[in-house]
Each structure stands twice: as C-alpha cells, then as structure tokens.
C-alpha cells in the first residue's frame, strides 16, 4: 500500500492502457474475463478501439491482421490459461506470416504461483516458441518499458509477435501516479539499405538474364514497396509473379503480370528476384523440377537468416525491400536497360497466360447446375469494387478463387498464408472492416469462405453484427472438406448405417443453411443456387452499406479445379499454387 494518500493513484490496468497508447497502439481485440476486464475498459477510455470477439483464436487473427495492414501491432487481450492457449493459434500464424502482434495475457496471482491457482499455466514459456519476445514485467512500474520493448521488437527487423504477461494482482493494484514513468514512443523501424556492391552485381545479373522473373511476396506488401516495384517492372519491362498475399502490390491486371502462367514462369526462368517471399512450400522450395537446376536467385529480405535457405542464391541483398528496389532503380537510371518485349520468353509467357485464362473462362461459362467454382468466382469478380479487401480461405475455394478474383491494391488480400491456417477468415475480415471504417469509410470487405473454413470461426458472425460491420461473407458450399455429398446421396448412404459409421470423414451436412447464422443476428442472409441468384444477392449486398450479409452459394459437391499439368509430379494434393 502506498503511504502517501494525498497523491493520485493509478491501477495496473490503467498503466497498461496508457503504455500502449503511448506506443501508438490503436486497436485491441479480445475476450474479457478475470483478470483482464479492467484492461479493456481502461484501453477504451483512452480511445483505443476495443473489439470483443467470441474466441481468442479469432481475436488473435484479427489483431495480427491489424499489424500487417497498418504496420503498427494490434493487441490481442486474453484471460489466463485456456484463454491464452486459444490465442496461441493466432500467435503461431502471425509468427509464420512475419506479422507484428502484441499478445497480452492475464495470469494467475503471483502469491499463488505453483500452488494450483485458477487457470495457472507457464504462459511466458508457452509463448516463447511463437514469439520474438516473451516477458512478464516484474512490477507495475516496469510495465511501460516492457510494453515499449514488445512493440519495438514486433516491428523492428523481421516483424513478429511479442507476449506480455500480466499477473492478476497487477490489474487492480494501485500505485502512486508519479512512480510510473512512461517510455516515449519507439522510433519507426530503421530502414536498412543493401550493400552497394551487391546491388551493383544484382543489377548486372538482371541485365544478363535471358528469362528473368520478379516474384513479389507479402514482405514487399508489408514494406510498402509498391511504387518502387512498379517503376522497376515498367522501366525494365520485366515479368512479375505475385505470391498469394503479394497480389495487388502491382495490380493483377498489369500487362506484366504472369500469374496465369505461374508454373511455366517458375519452371523456365533463369534469373529470379525474390522481393519478400521465402522459398518455402508455397514456392516449391526453389528446387527442380519446378525450377531450372541452375536458376540464379537474387534474394531480397530484411532477415539475414532467411538468405540462402534451400538454395544457394546468386546474390543476396539484406535490407528493406523499398530501399533496395530504389537502389536497383538507381542502377537502371544510371545505365538504362530494358528487357526486350519481343523476346521469346515474353512470347512463351503471354501464350501460356492466354491459354490458361481461356481454360478457366471455359469452365466459368458452363451452364450446368449446381455451379462449379469458376462460374461462382467469375460472377463475383464482375461485381467486386476495385478497392475492396478480399479475405479468403478454404482449400479449393481459396486456391481457385485466387486465380479469378483480382486485387488492384497492396495489402488488400488476406488468406490462410504461410501456415495454411483455416479459421482466419472472419477475424481478418473484422480487422479489415475496422481499419476501413477508420481510414476509408465505405470501403468494403469481401470474405470468400469454403463451408468447412467458415465453420472454424463461424460464431464471429455475432461480432460482425454487433459492431455492424458491412462485411459480405460468401460461403462457397460443397457440403464438405475438399468435397461432399448431395442431399440424395447422403440420404442413400445413411440407409447403410448410422452416420458415425458410414459418413466419410470429409462430409459435412448437405444443404446447411449457413446464411441463417447471419439472419440470427440481424444481418442479411441469402441461399443461392443459380448464377442469377448469386448476381442478384451480391448486388443487393453491395448496395446495402449499412448491414453485413452472408451469401450461401451451393456448388457441385464434387466440383474441383481444372486439371493441371501433372508432368511435374510434385505430389501436392491439397494446396497447389497453380
Ligand atoms: P510470401 O508468403 O508472400 O511468399 P513470405 O511470408 O514467405 O511471403 O516472405 C516474406 C518475407 O519478407 C520474409 O522473409 C520477411 O523477412 C520479409 N520482409 C518483411 N518485411 C520486409 C521489409 N521491410 N524488407 C525486406 N524484407 C521484408
Ligand atoms: Mg467445402
């Protein structure tokens, strides 16, 4: 207890809120309960937006998307034990995606530690595996410096999550207001440039390429390198390929985008410049048969430990993508150069783009019912506003949707990401809608979900309705995981036994009315089976800027992607980034 009663007191909760505010943290997502409720209340009082979610996992996904979209970490606030454990999924996902995030967990009272306290769990240790920094302040007076360090660590170098543990007895404990010193807001992340000689060599490797390719990853999106990269692409007339979340850094409809010829471009390029994209499973590790055995990689990344993973690069450029792209541009300004637009490489790529686009248009034009994926996505693409956020998850829904649905702006696509996480969609959509509300009112969020993916965080529809976020949820429903049964086959199958005995594990209930989850909370719901119904309901949903809606789109339960070139023999059945 403080002896000086005349001095103003401040609670631990208020100190946390003020420390976050001082570090320019603007958004907090979470679920309150003992012992963190007061922290949420204090944050809200200081003008930090607090969004109450229905599961900590979704709250953590939302907070991590804030970090990617704004460059400043969002906070996920959770209770002790199970609350914290639910959030680990979101933390791991953020870690895999290299997105900044601050997780704040309440924990049991210090004097009960190791005694079997309520929801006691070794939280600081549990978070270490998923974070860049994980700590518990030793006193209330130490909270501001720990929060500053967490925020700073989350955005300096390769971005990532940080954890701050708050024992229950800190939350309501009062200390003398003068005993707490707030650490000034940390400086923006330092910008590091590439080594001059390496930049020079990189430029000359590009100049000498016969079949060059730029790959633009979500690191480039995070780095806000859109302007510089576009200049590089246009000035040097180079083909580029976005990764899933690299889509939109340069618009998908740019004439130099070779996304529709992805496999071909990867397989025959002789020089590949990687701007913030790791050579992991998404890029087939950079190895044959998906690439030439002697392809020269030029790797641009902010993380030194990433350079040289899986391949021996020809050139490594350590630093900020935006700065390094500008350095490359300087080289091409000094000695102008462009890749010949009449080269056979460009011809090959253009031809392949044409063939592949025609193949999906052909599938989209099929009139049979139930609809296939391509028909659905073409109709959706036709109506989408150019500036909307596109959130997407599901297996085929995400993979096929990505090839049809276009992005025109950077950091406007959010999906299952590096970790291939299902259940991220609603949290991401909520984060995007909150950012849109503050920065660009009227901007829409379209969330394209598989029926299985929707199920992971479906109760967040209540959150969407409570805050009246005009998100449009599309559930592309094939009655199952990867695929399902139609209602008749399902009934027929049940004749052979109880559902737990005979239903294949991938099955979900046929013709589930997911749209009623939305109407249950006052939003608009549509159940659609034809292209006309889809067009009409999407039009209505887009016109209504005051309400969320969910369009449940029934598709052929056995529908799948168009047949791929299987000669590559890469044996990946689930997500293949064609
Ligand atoms: P994708 O999934 O789009 O292929 P990844 O998540 O695999 O992208 O790769 C993103 C990379 O970008 C990471 O290796 C990360 O270190 C890097 N990165 C993030 N921010 C920057 C930045 N400002 N400058 C350079 N590299 C960055
Ligand atoms: Mg499905």
């Amino acid at each position: 207890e403080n002896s000086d009663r005349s001095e103003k007191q401040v609670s631990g909760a208020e100190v946390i809120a003020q420390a976050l505010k001082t570090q320019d943290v603007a958004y907090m997502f979470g679920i309150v309960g003992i012992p963190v409720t007061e922290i949420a209340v204090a944050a809200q009082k200081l003008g930090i937006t607090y969004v109450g979610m229905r599961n900590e996992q979704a709250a953590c996904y939302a907070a991590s998307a804030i970090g990617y979209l704004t460059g400043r970490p969002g906070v996920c606030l959770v209770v002790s034990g199970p609350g914290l454990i639910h959030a680990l999924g979101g933390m791991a996902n953020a870690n895999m995606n290299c997105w900044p995030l601050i997780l704040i967990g309440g924990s049991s009272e210090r004097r009960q530690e190791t005694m079997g306290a309520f929801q006691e769990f070794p939280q600081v240790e549990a978070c270490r595996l998923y974070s860049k920094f994980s700590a518990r302040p030793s006193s209330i007076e130490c909270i501001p410096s720990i929060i500053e360090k967490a925020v700073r660590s989350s955005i300096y170098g390769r971005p990532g999550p940080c954890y701050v543990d708050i024992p229950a007895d800190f939350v309501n404990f009062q200390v003398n207001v003068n005993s707490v010193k707030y650490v000034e807001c940390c400086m923006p992340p330092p910008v590091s440039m590439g080594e001059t000689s390496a930049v020079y060599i990189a430029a000359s490797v590009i100049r000498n390429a016969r079949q060059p390719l730029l790959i633009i990853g979500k690191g480039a999106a995070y780095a806000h390198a859109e302007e510089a990269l576009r200049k590089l692409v246009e000035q040097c007339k180079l083909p580029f390929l976005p990764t899933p979340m690299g889509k939109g850094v340069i618009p998908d409809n740019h004439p130099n985008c070779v996304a529709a010829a992805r496999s071909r471009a990867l397989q025959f390029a002789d020089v590949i410049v990687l701007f913030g994209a790791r050579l992991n499973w998404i890029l087939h590790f950079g190895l044959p048969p998906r690439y030439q055995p002697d392809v020269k990689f030029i790797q641009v990344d902010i993380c030194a430990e990433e350079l040289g993973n899986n391949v021996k690069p020809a050139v490594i450029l350590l630093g900020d993508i935006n700065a390094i792209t500008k350095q490359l541009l300087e080289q091409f300004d000094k000695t102008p150069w462009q890749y010949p637009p009449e080269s056979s490489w460009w011809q090959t790529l253009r031809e392949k783009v044409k063939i592949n686009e025609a193949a999906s248009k052909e599938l989209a034009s099929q009139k049979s019912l139930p609809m296939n994926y391509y028909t659905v996505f073409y109709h959706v693409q036709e109506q989408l506003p150019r500036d909307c956020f596109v959130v997407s998850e599901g297996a085929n829904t995400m993979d096929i949707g990505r090839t049809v649905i276009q992005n025109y702006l950077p950091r406007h696509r959010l999906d299952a990401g590096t970790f291939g996480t299902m259940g991220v969609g609603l949290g991401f959509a909520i984060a995007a809608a909150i950012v849109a509300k503050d920065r660009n009112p009227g901007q829409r969020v379209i969330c394209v979900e598989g029926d299985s993916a929707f199920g992971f965080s479906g109760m967040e529809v209540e959150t969407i309705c409570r805050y009246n976020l005009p998100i449009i949820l599309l559930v592309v429903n094939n009655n199952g995981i990867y695929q399902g049964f139609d209602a008749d086959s399902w009934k027929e199958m049940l004749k052979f036994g109880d559902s737990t005995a005979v239903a294949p594990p991938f099955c979900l209930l046929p013709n589930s009315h997911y749209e009623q989850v939305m109407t249950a909370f006052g939003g608009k719901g549509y159940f659609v089976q034809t292209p006309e119904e889809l067009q009409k309901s999407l039009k209505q949903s887009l016109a209504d800027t005051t309400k969320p809606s969910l369009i449940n789109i029934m598709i052929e339960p056995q529908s799948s992607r168009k047949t791929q070139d299987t000669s590559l023999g890469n044996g990946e059945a689930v997500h293949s980034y064609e």
Side-chain angles (χ1 to χ4, degrees), residues 225 228-229 232 275 300 320-330:
L229 280 170
L232 182 67
F275 290 101
V300 186
D320 175 66
I321 293 168
N322 194 31
I324 290 175
T325 309
K326 286 182 185 159
Q327 286 178 287
L328 283 169
L329 277 167
E330 271 169 33

Side-chain angles (χ1 to χ4, degrees), residues 421-568:
T421 311
M422 295 300 144
V424 293
L426 278 77
F428 284 178
I430 289 167
I434 294 279
V435 169
K437 196 166 137 176
D438 287 355
R439 300 191 170 185
N440 191 10
Q443 189 184 14
R444 300 306 290 268
V445 179
I446 315 297
C447 186
V448 189
E449 301 270 310
D451 53 329
S452 163
F454 174 71
F456 287 84
S457 304
M459 196 48 76
E460 300 302 337
V461 170
E462 189 276 328
T463 310
I464 291 171
C465 289
R466 181 160 24 99
Y467 293 105
N468 207 21
L469 304 169
I471 294 167
I472 299 174
L473 286 164
L474 306 178
V475 176
V476 183
N477 190 350
N478 65 352
N479 303 337
I481 304 171
Y482 306 120
Q483 50 185 17
F485 279 158
D486 60 64
D488 289 343
S489 318
W490 174 259
K491 234 192 251 159
E492 195 59 31
M493 189 190 60
L494 292 186
K495 283 185 187 154
F496 298 99
D498 181 68
S499 56
T500 50
V502 297
F506 55 78
C507 275
L508 297 170
L509 187 68
N511 292 339
S512 289
H513 281 268
Y514 295 111
E515 75 284 1
Q516 292 179 8
V517 179
M518 183 58 89
T519 54
F521 302 111
K524 289 257 187 154
Y526 303 88
F527 181 79
V528 309
Q529 294 174 292
T530 65
E532 294 70 36
E533 288 168 356
L534 171 57
Q535 281 169 319
K536 204 172 146 201
S537 57
L538 185 54
K539 198 166 170 201
Q540 285 178 8
S541 303
L542 284 165
D544 192 346
T545 55
T546 65
K547 253 193 182 159
S549 48
L550 190 156
I551 308 177
N552 184 11
I553 307 163
M554 300 311 297
I555 63 162
E556 164 58 46
Q558 306 283 318
S559 179
S560 64
R561 63 175 57 237
K562 64 182 189 312
T563 33
Q564 292 172 16
D565 188 355
T566 47
S567 63
L568 296 166

Side-chain angles (χ1 to χ4, degrees), residues 22-40:
T22 308
Q23 297 306 319
D24 243 349
V25 168
Y27 301 99
M28 183 183 276
F29 299 79
I31 301 184
V32 297
I34 297 169
V36 300
T37 307
E38 289 82 355
I39 300 174

